[in-house]
């Protein structure tokens, strides 16, 4: 692997519990507890890639029980500089039907009771991170470009409402989220995005709308319907991720390497 390549990580959510075969790397145990699963390192072309299953393997950890701090910390220790988070979400508007792919640019956090910062008084001196733009614009741009180049339609601006779960919402809650300005609803982008920022890692979210939000369709939401959308939608998500990582590999080849050290794989 080239010394010049930075390590990119995919955090897979519901419907994306693996990406491709690789080897286990890094440590599951961190000062904040254990990661959701082993980190699997592989490569696409020459671009190194780490993968972490957010809900564990098998998929069993509820959104509010995920050890977000351990996950982000372990990725950082491995040398990850950019994180692409894959999130299954509900769509609030009729122009975001099930199957849509969305790359949000803003979020509102409604979660509670989650360990949401590394600045908890224990180990680091207090810093108030800037979170004006919660998703890294350049990384979002790379996803959007890769989507265009591979003919995949994406919505490239949206407000992600991060809710506690694991239950879905009431109609009144969805109405309130809409009034607040949310376009999509998910359970896992927070505190993940903020923790990545605290560790100075780029972070972007690639969302698959797996259901119309509560009260936004004639029928009730069922897991059967959600899984049907996941089965087809995640094929597109995988294609887009592969295209984006391939483009990163080409970009790095055509740019002179100025980085001193390569990825710190263990
Ligand atoms: N609401 C919250 N989170 C979700 C939904 C939803 O409708 N669908 C998938 N994740």
């Amino acid at each position: 692997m080239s010394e010049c390549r930075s390590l990119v990580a995919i955090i897979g959510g519901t419907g994306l519990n693996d990406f491709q075969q690789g080897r286990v790397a890094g440590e599951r145990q961190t000062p904040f507890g254990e990661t959701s699963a082993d980190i699997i390192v592989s490569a696409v072309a020459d671009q190194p890639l780490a993968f972490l299953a957010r809900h564990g393997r098998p998929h069993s950890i509820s959104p509010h029980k995920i050890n977000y701090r351990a996950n982000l910390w372990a990725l950082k220790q491995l040398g990850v500089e950019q994180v692409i988070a894959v999130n299954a979400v509900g769509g609030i508007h009729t122009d975001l039907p099930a199957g849509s792919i969305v790359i949000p640019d803003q979020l509102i956090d409604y979660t509670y009771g989650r360990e949401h910062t590394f600045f908890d008084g224990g180990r680091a001196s207090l810093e108030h991170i800037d979170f004006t733009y919660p998703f890294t614009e350049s990384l979002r741009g790379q996803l959007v470009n890769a989507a265009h180049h591979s003919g995949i339609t994406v919505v490239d601006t949206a407000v992600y409402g991060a809710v506690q779960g694991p239950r879905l919402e009431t109609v009144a809650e969805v109405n309130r989220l809409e009034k607040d300005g949310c376009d999509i609803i998910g359970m896992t982008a927070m505190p993940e995005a903020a923790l990545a920022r605290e560790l100075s890692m780029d972070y972007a979210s690639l969302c698959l709308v797996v259901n119309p939000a509560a009260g936004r369709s004639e029928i009730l939401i069922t897991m059967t319907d959600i899984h049907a959308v996941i089965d087809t939608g995640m094929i597109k998500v995988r294609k887009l991720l592969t295209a984006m990582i391939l483009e990163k590999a080409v970009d790095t080849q055509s740019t002179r390497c100025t980085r001193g050290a390569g990825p710190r794989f263990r």
Side-chain angles (χ1 to χ4, degrees):
M1 271 173 209
S2 159
E3 283 282 292
C4 302
R5 302 193 189 286
S6 64
L7 183 54
V8 178
I10 295 170
I11 300 183
T14 301
L16 192 76
N17 234 23
D18 56 33
F19 191 69
Q20 59 180 17
Q21 296 215 318
R23 65 182 175 83
V24 173
E27 305 289 339
R28 282 196 69 179
Q29 199 57 47
T30 75
F32 305 95
E34 218 181 39
T35 61
S36 299
D38 284 332
I39 299 171
I40 306 296
V41 168
S42 62
V44 172
D46 219 8
Q47 171 61 52
L49 177 68
F51 181 87
L52 177 56
R54 187 190 283 119
H55 295 276
R57 285 208 285 201
H59 181 277
S60 59
I61 311 173
S62 225
H64 67 294
K65 290 283 188 189
I66 290 165
N67 192 336
Y68 296 94
R69 294 199 301 181
N71 288 350
L72 274 295
W73 184 268
L75 291 174
K76 180 74 180 182
Q77 291 310 298
L78 199 58
V80 168
E81 295 177 8
Q82 298 190 308
V83 177
I84 304 160
V86 177
N87 305 88
V89 297
I92 295 181
H93 307 294
T94 47
D95 56 353
L96 291 176
S100 307
I101 296 183
V102 184
I103 299 166
D105 61 328
Q106 277 295 330
L107 65 77
I108 302 179
D109 186 11
Y110 301 91
T111 66
Y112 50 87
R114 302 180 180 192
E115 294 288 1
H116 64 284
T117 180
F118 292 107
F119 299 113
D120 60 359
R123 52 201 87 235
S125 63
L126 177 61
E127 234 180 80
H128 301 281
I129 52 155
D130 174 71
F131 207 46
T132 312
Y133 301 103
F135 302 105
T136 308
E137 281 302 312
S138 54
L139 195 56
R140 277 181 7 86
Q142 288 170 35
L143 281 169
V144 172
N145 286 338
H148 290 161
H149 300 155
S150 41
I152 297 172
T153 304
V154 294
V155 175
D156 63 7
T157 49
V159 179
Y160 179 118
V163 298
Q164 182 74 352
R167 68 165 176 84
L168 300 175
E169 296 68 42
T170 66
V171 176
E173 286 170 337
V174 173
N175 290 342
R176 173 191 156 205
L177 289 162
E178 182 173 28
K179 263 197 220 128
D180 284 356
C182 298
D183 301 301
I184 50 178
I185 321 171
M187 302 176 190
T188 49
M190 284 299 285
E192 208 172 77
L195 291 168
R197 182 67 52 85
E198 285 189 354
L199 293 177
S200 303
M201 288 191 279
D202 291 347
Y203 183 95
S205 162
L206 180 57
C207 296
L208 174 66
V209 178
V210 296
N211 59 276
R216 296 302 196 260
S217 94
E218 304 292 302
I219 52 171
L220 294 180
I221 303 166
T222 68
M223 283 313 290
T224 311
D225 290 342
I226 287 181
H227 282 300
V229 177
I230 284 176
D231 286 347
T232 51
M234 282 300 168
I235 295 171
K236 270 196 289 177
V237 166
R238 283 175 183 274
K239 188 175 159 197
L240 171 46
L241 288 168
T242 306
M244 186 230 180
I245 295 159
L246 275 171
E247 289 189 7
K248 286 181 89 62
V250 172
D251 272 2
T252 319
Q253 262 160 19
S254 61
T255 314
R256 200 170 69 82
C257 179
T258 51
R259 200 185 305 270
R264 287 173 282 129
F265 293 149
R266 276 175 293 151

